[in-house]
């Protein structure tokens, strides 16, 4: 029979060193962030952090809801009922709720660093911001040096735009942007209320300038109950003019009783509507003799 060898006896001094070391690591990496986040939480400090992200010369920010620490994908700041108004007290933007996921490592040293931002119930009032087009809402110099500078993921659910007639120009929209630290990828989907249609845009931002975003691998899908269009292209978005340009678009089209290929040299989507240049398509009906070609 084999006898088991006795475990080597560890000196009591080493046991104490190991035990205290584990306690210190546990306290620094777990207890310290929780202590700073919950026990030392300051709602007024968080409010000022959020308000400073906006252009306070032209707008005022009012937070009437709760500002509190919560657990959302880790530790996060929860903010509700945020309203942005112009100097004439007209609503420009309203957010129902916002969740800001924080970096655990930065909490160890007592700093907030937002890694992920999720907004639910964002409404833009276009009738009160038609002249500015939301271009100067944020204080970009502050954002680039603030707790939001390392933001990696940004998402909006229940996005809506109210037009000049106080009716919904866009409703039940969703936006998700990832890889903000490298080349952002986005997915935007929303309903076109006036046309009973659904528009989906997704692609990758390859270059950002002062007034323009260059977009690659852009996919556009527009559909309603009877028809649909799917396009693959590249393009750019002029966000000061709020114009989306698509170039060398190729795709497919489905209309009642017909389907076929579609090619467009340029497409412009703006506040004035939809403009296309050099459109050509070949539509095939369900019967072989029902081919039609249009240019």
């Amino acid at each position: 029979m084999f006898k088991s060898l006795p475990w080597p006896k560890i000196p009591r001094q080493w046991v104490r060193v190991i035990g205290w070391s584990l306690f210190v690591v546990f306290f620094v990496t777990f207890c310290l962030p929780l202590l700073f986040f919950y026990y030392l939480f300051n709602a007024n400090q968080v409010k000022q952090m959020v308000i400073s992200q906006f252009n306070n010369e032209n707008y005022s920010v009012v937070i009437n809801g709760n500002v509190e620490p919560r657990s959302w994908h880790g530790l996060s700041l929860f903010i509700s009922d945020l309203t942005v108004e112009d100097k004439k007290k007209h609503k420009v933007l309203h957010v129902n709720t916002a969740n800001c996921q924080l970096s655990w490592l930065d909490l160890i040293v007592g700093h907030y660093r937002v890694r992920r931002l999720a907004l639910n119930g964002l409404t833009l009032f276009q009738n009160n911001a038609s002249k500015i087009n939301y271009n100067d809402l944020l204080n970009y110099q502050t954002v680039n040096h603030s707790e939001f500078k390392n933001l990696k993921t940004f998402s909006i659910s229940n996005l809506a735009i109210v037009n000049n007639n106080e009716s919904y120009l866009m409703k039940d929209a969703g936006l998700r942007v990832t890889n903000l630290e490298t080349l952002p990828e986005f997915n935007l989907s929303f309903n076109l209320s006036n046309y009973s249609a659904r528009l989906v845009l997704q692609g990758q931002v390859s270059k950002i300038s002062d007034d323009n975003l260059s977009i690659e691998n852009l996919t556009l899908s527009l559909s309603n109950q009877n028809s649909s269009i799917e396009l693959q292209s590249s393009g750019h978005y002029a966000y000061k003019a709020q114009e989306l340009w698509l170039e060398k678009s190729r795709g497919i089209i489905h209309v009642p009783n017909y389907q076929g290929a579609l090619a467009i040299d340029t497409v412009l989507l703006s506040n004035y509507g939809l403009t296309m240049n050099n459109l050509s398509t070949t539509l095939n009906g369900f019967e072989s003799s029902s081919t039609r070609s249009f240019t």
Side-chain angles (χ1 to χ4, degrees), residues 254-259 283-291:
H254 295 268
V255 294
N257 301 323
Y258 289 92
Q259 63 181 3
L283 298 178
N284 299 307
F286 295 127
E287 298 180 1
S288 60
S289 59
S290 302
T291 300

mmCIF file of all heavy atoms in Angstrom, residues 254-259 283-291:
data_model
loop_
_atom_site.group_PDB
_atom_site.id
_atom_site.type_symbol
_atom_site.label_atom_id
_atom_site.label_comp_id
_atom_site.label_asym_id
_atom_site.label_seq_id
_atom_site.Cartn_x
_atom_site.Cartn_y
_atom_site.Cartn_z
ATOM 1 N N HIS A 254 -38.624 44.966 -55.192
ATOM 2 C CA HIS A 254 -39.833 44.152 -55.259
ATOM 3 C C HIS A 254 -41.033 45.102 -55.254
ATOM 4 O O HIS A 254 -41.177 45.921 -54.346
ATOM 5 C CB HIS A 254 -39.935 43.209 -54.048
ATOM 6 C CG HIS A 254 -38.856 42.186 -54.003
ATOM 7 N ND1 HIS A 254 -38.989 40.932 -54.558
ATOM 8 C CD2 HIS A 254 -37.613 42.216 -53.457
ATOM 9 C CE1 HIS A 254 -37.881 40.244 -54.352
ATOM 10 N NE2 HIS A 254 -37.025 41.004 -53.680
ATOM 11 N N VAL A 255 -41.865 44.995 -56.279
ATOM 12 C CA VAL A 255 -43.115 45.740 -56.362
ATOM 13 C C VAL A 255 -44.219 44.749 -56.694
ATOM 14 O O VAL A 255 -43.933 43.602 -57.077
ATOM 15 C CB VAL A 255 -43.035 46.847 -57.433
ATOM 16 C CG1 VAL A 255 -42.025 47.906 -57.040
ATOM 17 C CG2 VAL A 255 -42.685 46.263 -58.796
ATOM 18 N N PRO A 256 -45.480 45.125 -56.532
ATOM 19 C CA PRO A 256 -46.557 44.170 -56.828
ATOM 20 C C PRO A 256 -46.426 43.553 -58.223
ATOM 21 O O PRO A 256 -46.334 44.267 -59.220
ATOM 22 C CB PRO A 256 -47.818 45.028 -56.704
ATOM 23 C CG PRO A 256 -47.456 46.082 -55.718
ATOM 24 C CD PRO A 256 -46.019 46.392 -55.973
ATOM 25 N N ASN A 257 -46.355 42.230 -58.258
ATOM 26 C CA ASN A 257 -46.299 41.427 -59.494
ATOM 27 C C ASN A 257 -44.960 41.475 -60.212
ATOM 28 O O ASN A 257 -44.795 40.811 -61.242
ATOM 29 C CB ASN A 257 -47.392 41.850 -60.478
ATOM 30 C CG ASN A 257 -48.781 41.709 -59.895
ATOM 31 O OD1 ASN A 257 -49.065 40.769 -59.143
ATOM 32 N ND2 ASN A 257 -49.656 42.657 -60.212
ATOM 33 N N TYR A 258 -43.973 42.259 -59.693
ATOM 34 C CA TYR A 258 -42.683 42.349 -60.367
ATOM 35 C C TYR A 258 -41.550 42.340 -59.345
ATOM 36 O O TYR A 258 -41.707 42.741 -58.196
ATOM 37 C CB TYR A 258 -42.585 43.637 -61.204
ATOM 38 C CG TYR A 258 -43.455 43.650 -62.438
ATOM 39 C CD1 TYR A 258 -44.749 44.173 -62.384
ATOM 40 C CD2 TYR A 258 -42.984 43.138 -63.648
ATOM 41 C CE1 TYR A 258 -45.553 44.196 -63.510
ATOM 42 C CE2 TYR A 258 -43.778 43.155 -64.786
ATOM 43 C CZ TYR A 258 -45.059 43.681 -64.708
ATOM 44 O OH TYR A 258 -45.857 43.690 -65.836
ATOM 45 N N GLN A 259 -40.371 41.896 -59.816
ATOM 46 C CA GLN A 259 -39.141 42.003 -59.048
ATOM 47 C C GLN A 259 -37.973 42.080 -60.015
ATOM 48 O O GLN A 259 -38.075 41.614 -61.154
ATOM 49 C CB GLN A 259 -38.960 40.811 -58.106
ATOM 50 C CG GLN A 259 -38.821 39.471 -58.821
ATOM 51 C CD GLN A 259 -38.674 38.322 -57.839
ATOM 52 O OE1 GLN A 259 -38.732 38.525 -56.631
ATOM 53 N NE2 GLN A 259 -38.480 37.123 -58.348
ATOM 54 N N LEU A 283 -37.380 44.885 -64.523
ATOM 55 C CA LEU A 283 -38.367 44.204 -63.701
ATOM 56 C C LEU A 283 -38.875 42.968 -64.418
ATOM 57 O O LEU A 283 -39.229 43.022 -65.593
ATOM 58 C CB LEU A 283 -39.535 45.143 -63.393
ATOM 59 C CG LEU A 283 -39.199 46.410 -62.604
ATOM 60 C CD1 LEU A 283 -40.439 47.260 -62.419
ATOM 61 C CD2 LEU A 283 -38.569 46.068 -61.270
ATOM 62 N N ASN A 284 -38.905 41.856 -63.714
ATOM 63 C CA ASN A 284 -39.408 40.607 -64.247
ATOM 64 C C ASN A 284 -40.698 40.234 -63.529
ATOM 65 O O ASN A 284 -40.741 40.178 -62.298
ATOM 66 C CB ASN A 284 -38.381 39.479 -64.062
ATOM 67 C CG ASN A 284 -37.084 39.779 -64.784
ATOM 68 O OD1 ASN A 284 -37.085 40.068 -65.981
ATOM 69 N ND2 ASN A 284 -35.978 39.723 -64.058
ATOM 70 N N GLY A 285 -41.748 39.985 -64.326
ATOM 71 C CA GLY A 285 -43.013 39.574 -63.750
ATOM 72 C C GLY A 285 -43.022 38.099 -63.428
ATOM 73 O O GLY A 285 -42.054 37.370 -63.683
ATOM 74 N N PHE A 286 -44.104 37.667 -62.845
ATOM 75 C CA PHE A 286 -44.208 36.257 -62.482
ATOM 76 C C PHE A 286 -44.308 35.370 -63.718
ATOM 77 O O PHE A 286 -44.019 34.178 -63.666
ATOM 78 C CB PHE A 286 -45.421 36.042 -61.578
ATOM 79 C CG PHE A 286 -45.283 36.739 -60.253
ATOM 80 C CD1 PHE A 286 -46.264 37.603 -59.804
ATOM 81 C CD2 PHE A 286 -44.164 36.539 -59.457
ATOM 82 C CE1 PHE A 286 -46.141 38.240 -58.572
ATOM 83 C CE2 PHE A 286 -44.034 37.178 -58.237
ATOM 84 C CZ PHE A 286 -45.029 38.034 -57.806
ATOM 85 N N GLU A 287 -44.690 35.945 -64.852
ATOM 86 C CA GLU A 287 -44.718 35.201 -66.106
ATOM 87 C C GLU A 287 -43.539 35.632 -66.968
ATOM 88 O O GLU A 287 -43.107 36.773 -66.933
ATOM 89 C CB GLU A 287 -46.037 35.458 -66.852
ATOM 90 C CG GLU A 287 -47.260 35.008 -66.073
ATOM 91 C CD GLU A 287 -48.540 35.286 -66.831
ATOM 92 O OE1 GLU A 287 -48.451 35.812 -67.964
ATOM 93 O OE2 GLU A 287 -49.622 34.983 -66.285
ATOM 94 N N SER A 288 -43.011 34.699 -67.760
ATOM 95 C CA SER A 288 -41.800 34.970 -68.538
ATOM 96 C C SER A 288 -41.987 36.083 -69.547
ATOM 97 O O SER A 288 -41.030 36.722 -69.976
ATOM 98 C CB SER A 288 -41.348 33.689 -69.249
ATOM 99 O OG SER A 288 -42.369 33.221 -70.114
ATOM 100 N N SER A 289 -43.206 36.360 -69.962
ATOM 101 C CA SER A 289 -43.462 37.398 -70.961
ATOM 102 C C SER A 289 -43.701 38.764 -70.333
ATOM 103 O O SER A 289 -44.041 39.719 -71.034
ATOM 104 C CB SER A 289 -44.693 37.014 -71.799
ATOM 105 O OG SER A 289 -45.829 36.860 -70.963
ATOM 106 N N SER A 290 -43.476 38.856 -69.025
ATOM 107 C CA SER A 290 -43.815 40.099 -68.327
ATOM 108 C C SER A 290 -42.583 40.899 -67.955
ATOM 109 O O SER A 290 -42.562 41.574 -66.930
ATOM 110 C CB SER A 290 -44.623 39.776 -67.059
ATOM 111 O OG SER A 290 -45.789 39.078 -67.371
ATOM 112 N N THR A 291 -41.540 40.848 -68.779
ATOM 113 C CA THR A 291 -40.319 41.597 -68.491
ATOM 114 C C THR A 291 -40.469 43.038 -68.916
ATOM 115 O O THR A 291 -40.914 43.339 -70.014
ATOM 116 C CB THR A 291 -39.119 40.970 -69.216
ATOM 117 O OG1 THR A 291 -38.972 39.614 -68.770
ATOM 118 C CG2 THR A 291 -37.849 41.717 -68.920
#
